[in-house]
Amino acid sequence: MKASLLVRTLFIILTLLGIGLITGCEQIYEQMPYLRPVTNDGGAVVPPTPTAQLPQPDINPTDLPASQEVSTITLWLPPQFDPQNGTPEGVLLEQQLTQFSADYPDITVDVRIKAVDGPGGLLETLTAASEVAPAVLPGIILLPRQDFDKAALTGLLMEVGNDELDASEYDWLPYADELTRIDGKRYGLPFTADVLTLAYKPAQSGAAPLTWQELIQKKALTAFPAAEPSALLPLLIYQSQGGGFTADETSLVLDPQALEAGFASIADASAASVFPSWLTELDTYGQSWQALLDSRSSYSLVWVSQYLEEQPEDISLIPLPAIGSTALTYADGWILAFPQTSPERYETFRILAGYLVDPEFQSAWTQAAGLLPPSGAQLASWMDSELSGILLEITANAQPLPSSEVQDRLAPLMREATIDLLQGRVSFSEAADQIIRSLGK
């Protein structure tokens, strides 16, 4: 663990412990206001008129377990999903929470907005509170996939057993279902997703390439953030060449042949000026998107959400060209998860989660938010059928990002080797050897 992270975590733990022992939970809220709930009681908040009305949820209220005494469900959300932020998607979420409160008037939903990263952030506070102040843990937490991965591996989350959930009822796409699984076990419910894709201007670029070789033959400059810390494109190309990851606590093993073939693909693109050296100056997908908007590139690797936010009339999306025999792309997402609690309380928390993954709500909310629903049927129900058809094609070959463990170990090496390759300092075989040697140390 990095020193700065250790210091922040210890600070949260000691603060929670000291305050909890001396003052109790209510004064914890006074001392740490980011933990104080924002109440959704069905009548306290009057939201602005949304641009799209939410259909009535296809949910029949069920009786709570006889042993259940839950009067409050705490829900931790990141700022971008705040139901009171005044956005159309925020209004729709507020309506859904209000519907739950109407169906279950004896239960109050307390929404706490927490930063994604840093002190007081979702994962750090979940970790600290799980150890010393479980009374302030939420019933449900919405986590980004990488933090969800870490929380599940460290035992902070309840397992969602297959006997408790009929995944076929929700028609989740394979990648979305896989986002919720760690080592084959499900620890949450998919809430929303994002997928890497290729954006381009059809009027300028003509027919879209279907394969990596076609892209190189077109010699069409393709932007991607070569200096991006997660090194997603070189990782994706490696996996597209059949490479996998074998990891344990002390080592990470790669397929040397797939690794070399992956860097050979990048070298071919560099030699054809598809990947120019100035891409090493880009370290965000926002810069990759801007390169296309400014016509510095013919194609750009972007997240679907970047396109959905603006939807320029002269730009379209296509699946990533197939590399080798396999067409792949990466999916990221947000997962509804359940911190460790009693089985009785968990049953009630799952009822609220059912409202948040309700198909009709998801269809309306994701359209407003500019994100992907986890279900193919929900995506197909979008008002723009042409767009939803393209997005279904893009997501057909999506798979979750590599685990946080793999990314933490491998991404810095892949990033450095890719930069060296594009700047002509190493050959593709030297780039692959460089990584194998580093992992063997």
Side-chain angles (χ1 to χ4, degrees):
M1 179 180 294
K2 295 182 179 179
S4 60
L5 178 59
L6 178 61
V7 170
R8 291 198 301 270
T9 303
L10 288 174
F11 170 78
I12 294 173
I13 291 174
L14 292 174
T15 302
L16 285 170
L17 180 61
I19 296 172
L21 291 174
I22 298 172
T23 65
C25 287
E26 176 57 32
Q27 288 182 320
I28 287 179
Y29 297 145
E30 295 176 3
Q31 297 294 328
M32 304 179 75
Y34 58 79
L35 289 174
R36 181 172 292 280
V38 178
T39 301
N40 292 271
D41 58 7
V45 177
V46 180
T49 302
T51 57
Q53 291 295 324
L54 181 67
Q56 291 296 313
D58 185 20
I59 297 175
N60 294 318
T62 58
D63 293 333
L64 298 177
S67 60
Q68 190 58 266
E69 298 181 355
V70 175
S71 60
T72 300
I73 300 178
T74 303
L75 173 63
W76 285 7
L77 299 174
Q80 60 266 47
F81 300 137
D82 185 350
Q84 298 183 35
N85 62 14
T87 62
E89 63 270 24
V91 171
L92 292 175
L93 179 55
E94 178 65 29
Q95 288 180 349
Q96 192 73 340
L97 294 174
T98 298
Q99 182 65 51
F100 173 86
S101 296
D103 292 341
Y104 295 93
D106 294 332
I107 300 178
T108 298
V109 179
D110 290 342
V111 177
R112 302 177 188 178
I113 304 303
K114 304 183 67 60
V116 178
D117 304 304
L122 288 164
L123 181 60
E124 286 197 22
T125 307
L126 174 66
T127 302
S130 295
E131 296 181 8
V132 300
V136 302
L137 282 174
I140 304 174
I141 183 171
L142 185 60
L143 287 170
R145 207 312 176 140
Q146 294 301 99
D147 287 350
F148 168 79
D149 180 20
K150 295 175 182 177
L153 288 173
T154 51
L156 301 179
L157 303 178
M158 300 280 288
E159 182 181 348
V160 180
N162 291 329
D163 57 337
E164 303 168 5
L165 177 72
D166 183 5
S168 63
E169 175 185 350
Y170 296 98
D171 184 37
W172 288 327
L173 292 164
Y175 83 86
D177 189 26
E178 192 64 27
L179 282 172
T180 70
R181 298 177 181 273
I182 306 297
D183 293 336
K185 298 179 180 179
R186 181 184 285 111
Y187 288 92
L189 308 177
F191 184 66
T192 191
D194 207 353
V195 173
L196 280 176
T197 187
L198 210 59
Y200 76 116
K201 296 179 178 179
Q204 296 180 12
S205 301
L210 299 178
T211 67
W212 188 260
Q213 193 58 38
E214 288 181 15
L215 179 66
I216 292 175
Q217 289 173 352
K218 286 173 69 72
K219 296 184 182 242
L221 197 154
T222 301
F224 78 98
E228 184 260 328
S230 297
L232 294 185
L233 184 60
L235 284 169
L236 180 61
I237 293 175
Y238 165 71
Q239 288 197 267
S240 297
Q241 295 286 5
F245 310 105
T246 303
D248 57 31
E249 294 182 358
T250 59
S251 65
L252 174 62
V253 179
L254 304 182
D255 180 336
Q257 290 184 334
L259 187 63
E260 184 167 313
F263 280 118
S265 297
I266 295 175
D268 290 343
S270 177
S273 298
V274 173
F275 288 167
S277 61
W278 60 261
L279 295 181
T280 61
E281 301 171 9
L282 307 186
D283 59 8
T284 70
Y285 285 95
Q287 293 171 326
S288 180
W289 174 247
Q290 193 62 47
L292 179 64
L293 295 178
D294 295 342
S295 296
R296 297 178 67 200
S297 66
S298 299
Y299 299 89
S300 281
L301 183 69
V302 299
W303 291 100
V304 164
S305 62
Q306 293 175 270
Y307 170 82
L308 293 177
E309 183 178 3
E310 301 181 34
Q311 295 192 40
E313 293 184 358
D314 61 338
I315 292 179
S316 297
L317 302 180
I318 55 172
L320 296 186
I323 303 172
S325 60
T326 306
L328 291 178
T329 190
Y330 279 148
D332 201 359
W334 291 82
I335 315 299
L336 290 167
F338 308 89
Q340 293 289 347
T341 186
S342 68
E344 294 79 16
R345 294 177 65 82
Y346 168 62
E347 286 300 315
T348 301
F349 301 156
R350 283 184 56 235
I351 294 174
L352 173 58
Y355 279 69
L356 300 178
V357 297
D358 173 68
E360 291 189 347
F361 165 70
Q362 277 283 314
S363 178
W365 184 87
T366 50
Q367 286 183 81
L371 292 166
L372 294 172
S375 159
Q378 294 161 15
L379 184 52
S381 71
W382 278 16
M383 291 182 289
D384 188 338
S385 58
E386 181 179 358
L387 173 61
S388 66
I390 294 172
L391 295 177
L392 282 169
E393 185 180 357
I394 291 170
T395 59
N397 295 311
Q399 64 181 36
L401 295 170
S403 70
S404 57
E405 180 182 18
V406 168
Q407 286 199 56
D408 289 345
R409 294 185 188 181
L410 188 55
L413 301 177
M414 295 290 274
R415 174 184 178 274
E416 180 182 0
T418 300
I419 290 174
D420 287 345
L421 181 57
L422 294 182
Q423 291 184 342
R425 291 197 288 262
V426 297
S427 67
F428 67 85
S429 59
E430 290 171 335
D433 289 342
Q434 178 178 306
I435 291 176
I436 296 297
R437 288 197 304 271
S438 296
L439 291 175
K441 292 180 180 179

